Amino acid sequence: MRETTTVRRPLRLRPVRPAGWWLDGVLVAALVALTAALAAGQLLGLDLAVRDWVDAHRPEPAYWVARVFNSLGQGGWFLMPISFGLALLVGWRTRSVRPLLVPIGAFVLTSFTIGPLKLWLDRGYPHNFALAHPEELFSDPAGGTAYPSGHVANAIVWYAAIALLLAALLRTLGRPDGPPTLYAVIRLAPPVIVFCSTTYLGWHWITDSVAGLLLGLFLGRLLGRVPWDDLPLPALPGGVQRRGVFTDDL
């Protein structure tokens, strides 16, 4: 019987735009600086002013429109099922488990960063008037999870995963890759909509949304760098660890 060997390719990070780690450093530094400023009592007046303004300029039709659009950032019942559904479809067509690594990676990244930050910083929500100063960090140890905005951060990470899986699905169907503009819209439009709607609804302070944006962009770049086809996997029955699903051009 002829013996076959598997040649392992060198593990190289996928390219992101703009290239390099400088932007990642800027995003983390900006998030740390924003958090430190809030902890020192700065920018709280801005948060209060924005909350009071949107409360005074939110007629009921606008409220419902914003609420519907805000669902674009709902991770649990919206983004995760779409991502895992696409991954299962691509995996079925390619007979590979690798597409499932993408939503699993997105889940791990968001779960081990957004949630712990929320629980650590204990910020009250804008309309928790039972608190004397809900705008302050550490103001609500019992239920304050406002900072950073999970909807905004989730939207950035999960739509990056969706764009990656959609491109892979088109390849399995023998279709040409969609234009870069399409993937840019998928990645950018929902987070912008969620940022605006979350703030307009008064569900988060505006600095919560900014923090979610900074964190989400950082996590999205980490997710985009993962070489999904080259991650080492053990030999699995039927060769479902096969690669060749993803490319480096998205």
Side-chain angles (χ1 to χ4, degrees), residues 53-65:
W53 188 90
V54 297
D55 283 352
H57 297 81
R58 192 170 53 241
E60 187 171 359
Y63 165 83
W64 285 108
V65 170

PDB file of all heavy atoms in Angstrom, residues 53-65:
ATOM      1  N   TRP A  53     -30.620  64.674  24.715  1.00  0.00           N
ATOM      2  CA  TRP A  53     -31.028  65.159  23.397  1.00  0.00           C
ATOM      3  C   TRP A  53     -31.829  64.099  22.653  1.00  0.00           C
ATOM      4  O   TRP A  53     -32.880  64.399  22.073  1.00  0.00           O
ATOM      5  CB  TRP A  53     -29.810  65.562  22.576  1.00  0.00           C
ATOM      6  CG  TRP A  53     -30.187  66.235  21.287  1.00  0.00           C
ATOM      7  CD1 TRP A  53     -30.376  67.569  21.075  1.00  0.00           C
ATOM      8  CD2 TRP A  53     -30.467  65.595  20.027  1.00  0.00           C
ATOM      9  NE1 TRP A  53     -30.752  67.801  19.772  1.00  0.00           N
ATOM     10  CE2 TRP A  53     -30.817  66.603  19.100  1.00  0.00           C
ATOM     11  CE3 TRP A  53     -30.450  64.274  19.602  1.00  0.00           C
ATOM     12  CZ2 TRP A  53     -31.142  66.332  17.784  1.00  0.00           C
ATOM     13  CZ3 TRP A  53     -30.787  63.986  18.285  1.00  0.00           C
ATOM     14  CH2 TRP A  53     -31.115  65.010  17.393  1.00  0.00           C
ATOM     15  N   VAL A  54     -31.338  62.850  22.643  1.00  0.00           N
ATOM     16  CA  VAL A  54     -32.067  61.806  21.903  1.00  0.00           C
ATOM     17  C   VAL A  54     -33.412  61.516  22.570  1.00  0.00           C
ATOM     18  O   VAL A  54     -34.394  61.202  21.884  1.00  0.00           O
ATOM     19  CB  VAL A  54     -31.226  60.520  21.753  1.00  0.00           C
ATOM     20  CG1 VAL A  54     -29.975  60.783  20.933  1.00  0.00           C
ATOM     21  CG2 VAL A  54     -30.874  59.908  23.111  1.00  0.00           C
ATOM     22  N   ASP A  55     -33.466  61.623  23.904  1.00  0.00           N
ATOM     23  CA  ASP A  55     -34.748  61.411  24.583  1.00  0.00           C
ATOM     24  C   ASP A  55     -35.770  62.465  24.172  1.00  0.00           C
ATOM     25  O   ASP A  55     -36.975  62.186  24.113  1.00  0.00           O
ATOM     26  CB  ASP A  55     -34.549  61.460  26.103  1.00  0.00           C
ATOM     27  CG  ASP A  55     -33.930  60.187  26.651  1.00  0.00           C
ATOM     28  OD1 ASP A  55     -33.789  59.219  25.882  1.00  0.00           O
ATOM     29  OD2 ASP A  55     -33.571  60.175  27.845  1.00  0.00           O
ATOM     30  N   ALA A  56     -35.288  63.664  23.875  1.00  0.00           N
ATOM     31  CA  ALA A  56     -36.188  64.754  23.497  1.00  0.00           C
ATOM     32  C   ALA A  56     -36.505  64.774  22.010  1.00  0.00           C
ATOM     33  O   ALA A  56     -37.368  65.546  21.570  1.00  0.00           O
ATOM     34  CB  ALA A  56     -35.580  66.099  23.911  1.00  0.00           C
ATOM     35  N   HIS A  57     -35.833  63.951  21.229  1.00  0.00           N
ATOM     36  CA  HIS A  57     -36.022  63.956  19.774  1.00  0.00           C
ATOM     37  C   HIS A  57     -36.217  62.530  19.248  1.00  0.00           C
ATOM     38  O   HIS A  57     -35.610  62.117  18.276  1.00  0.00           O
ATOM     39  CB  HIS A  57     -34.806  64.593  19.073  1.00  0.00           C
ATOM     40  CG  HIS A  57     -34.600  66.033  19.424  1.00  0.00           C
ATOM     41  ND1 HIS A  57     -33.970  66.441  20.584  1.00  0.00           N
ATOM     42  CD2 HIS A  57     -34.959  67.180  18.760  1.00  0.00           C
ATOM     43  CE1 HIS A  57     -33.932  67.768  20.620  1.00  0.00           C
ATOM     44  NE2 HIS A  57     -34.526  68.230  19.540  1.00  0.00           N
ATOM     45  N   ARG A  58     -37.099  61.787  19.906  1.00  0.00           N
ATOM     46  CA  ARG A  58     -37.330  60.405  19.502  1.00  0.00           C
ATOM     47  C   ARG A  58     -38.826  60.123  19.436  1.00  0.00           C
ATOM     48  O   ARG A  58     -39.398  59.522  20.340  1.00  0.00           O
ATOM     49  CB  ARG A  58     -36.640  59.445  20.484  1.00  0.00           C
ATOM     50  CG  ARG A  58     -36.594  58.006  19.980  1.00  0.00           C
ATOM     51  CD  ARG A  58     -35.698  57.122  20.854  1.00  0.00           C
ATOM     52  NE  ARG A  58     -36.044  57.202  22.249  1.00  0.00           N
ATOM     53  CZ  ARG A  58     -35.213  57.644  23.201  1.00  0.00           C
ATOM     54  NH1 ARG A  58     -33.997  58.013  22.906  1.00  0.00           N
ATOM     55  NH2 ARG A  58     -35.613  57.688  24.467  1.00  0.00           N
ATOM     56  N   PRO A  59     -39.481  60.553  18.355  1.00  0.00           N
ATOM     57  CA  PRO A  59     -40.908  60.243  18.197  1.00  0.00           C
ATOM     58  C   PRO A  59     -41.094  58.734  18.032  1.00  0.00           C
ATOM     59  O   PRO A  59     -40.158  58.011  17.668  1.00  0.00           O
ATOM     60  CB  PRO A  59     -41.292  61.008  16.925  1.00  0.00           C
ATOM     61  CG  PRO A  59     -40.014  61.177  16.184  1.00  0.00           C
ATOM     62  CD  PRO A  59     -38.950  61.317  17.216  1.00  0.00           C
ATOM     63  N   GLU A  60     -42.281  58.273  18.277  1.00  0.00           N
ATOM     64  CA  GLU A  60     -42.530  56.829  18.292  1.00  0.00           C
ATOM     65  C   GLU A  60     -42.187  56.151  16.962  1.00  0.00           C
ATOM     66  O   GLU A  60     -41.580  55.074  16.968  1.00  0.00           O
ATOM     67  CB  GLU A  60     -43.980  56.539  18.667  1.00  0.00           C
ATOM     68  CG  GLU A  60     -44.237  55.046  18.850  1.00  0.00           C
ATOM     69  CD  GLU A  60     -45.609  54.772  19.437  1.00  0.00           C
ATOM     70  OE1 GLU A  60     -46.337  55.740  19.720  1.00  0.00           O
ATOM     71  OE2 GLU A  60     -45.946  53.585  19.609  1.00  0.00           O
ATOM     72  N   PRO A  61     -42.541  56.719  15.785  1.00  0.00           N
ATOM     73  CA  PRO A  61     -42.149  56.049  14.527  1.00  0.00           C
ATOM     74  C   PRO A  61     -40.635  55.891  14.409  1.00  0.00           C
ATOM     75  O   PRO A  61     -40.150  54.841  13.981  1.00  0.00           O
ATOM     76  CB  PRO A  61     -42.707  56.980  13.442  1.00  0.00           C
ATOM     77  CG  PRO A  61     -43.826  57.705  14.099  1.00  0.00           C
ATOM     78  CD  PRO A  61     -43.392  57.907  15.520  1.00  0.00           C
ATOM     79  N   ALA A  62     -39.893  56.928  14.796  1.00  0.00           N
ATOM     80  CA  ALA A  62     -38.434  56.844  14.734  1.00  0.00           C
ATOM     81  C   ALA A  62     -37.906  55.809  15.714  1.00  0.00           C
ATOM     82  O   ALA A  62     -36.923  55.106  15.426  1.00  0.00           O
ATOM     83  CB  ALA A  62     -37.815  58.211  15.026  1.00  0.00           C
ATOM     84  N   TYR A  63     -38.565  55.699  16.857  1.00  0.00           N
ATOM     85  CA  TYR A  63     -38.153  54.701  17.853  1.00  0.00           C
ATOM     86  C   TYR A  63     -38.235  53.298  17.263  1.00  0.00           C
ATOM     87  O   TYR A  63     -37.300  52.493  17.401  1.00  0.00           O
ATOM     88  CB  TYR A  63     -39.040  54.806  19.089  1.00  0.00           C
ATOM     89  CG  TYR A  63     -38.932  53.616  20.015  1.00  0.00           C
ATOM     90  CD1 TYR A  63     -37.911  53.519  20.950  1.00  0.00           C
ATOM     91  CD2 TYR A  63     -39.863  52.581  19.948  1.00  0.00           C
ATOM     92  CE1 TYR A  63     -37.813  52.421  21.796  1.00  0.00           C
ATOM     93  CE2 TYR A  63     -39.783  51.478  20.784  1.00  0.00           C
ATOM     94  CZ  TYR A  63     -38.757  51.399  21.709  1.00  0.00           C
ATOM     95  OH  TYR A  63     -38.656  50.306  22.530  1.00  0.00           O
ATOM     96  N   TRP A  64     -39.342  52.994  16.605  1.00  0.00           N
ATOM     97  CA  TRP A  64     -39.525  51.637  16.087  1.00  0.00           C
ATOM     98  C   TRP A  64     -38.606  51.355  14.903  1.00  0.00           C
ATOM     99  O   TRP A  64     -38.105  50.231  14.757  1.00  0.00           O
ATOM    100  CB  TRP A  64     -40.990  51.411  15.717  1.00  0.00           C
ATOM    101  CG  TRP A  64     -41.833  51.218  16.932  1.00  0.00           C
ATOM    102  CD1 TRP A  64     -42.748  52.094  17.458  1.00  0.00           C
ATOM    103  CD2 TRP A  64     -41.811  50.091  17.811  1.00  0.00           C
ATOM    104  NE1 TRP A  64     -43.296  51.595  18.606  1.00  0.00           N
ATOM    105  CE2 TRP A  64     -42.745  50.361  18.857  1.00  0.00           C
ATOM    106  CE3 TRP A  64     -41.108  48.902  17.826  1.00  0.00           C
ATOM    107  CZ2 TRP A  64     -42.981  49.475  19.886  1.00  0.00           C
ATOM    108  CZ3 TRP A  64     -41.345  47.998  18.862  1.00  0.00           C
ATOM    109  CH2 TRP A  64     -42.261  48.282  19.872  1.00  0.00           C
ATOM    110  N   VAL A  65     -38.367  52.355  14.072  1.00  0.00           N
ATOM    111  CA  VAL A  65     -37.412  52.159  12.980  1.00  0.00           C
ATOM    112  C   VAL A  65     -36.024  51.865  13.541  1.00  0.00           C
ATOM    113  O   VAL A  65     -35.338  50.929  13.105  1.00  0.00           O
ATOM    114  CB  VAL A  65     -37.374  53.411  12.072  1.00  0.00           C
ATOM    115  CG1 VAL A  65     -36.209  53.309  11.085  1.00  0.00           C
ATOM    116  CG2 VAL A  65     -38.690  53.565  11.317  1.00  0.00           C
TER     117      VAL A  65
END
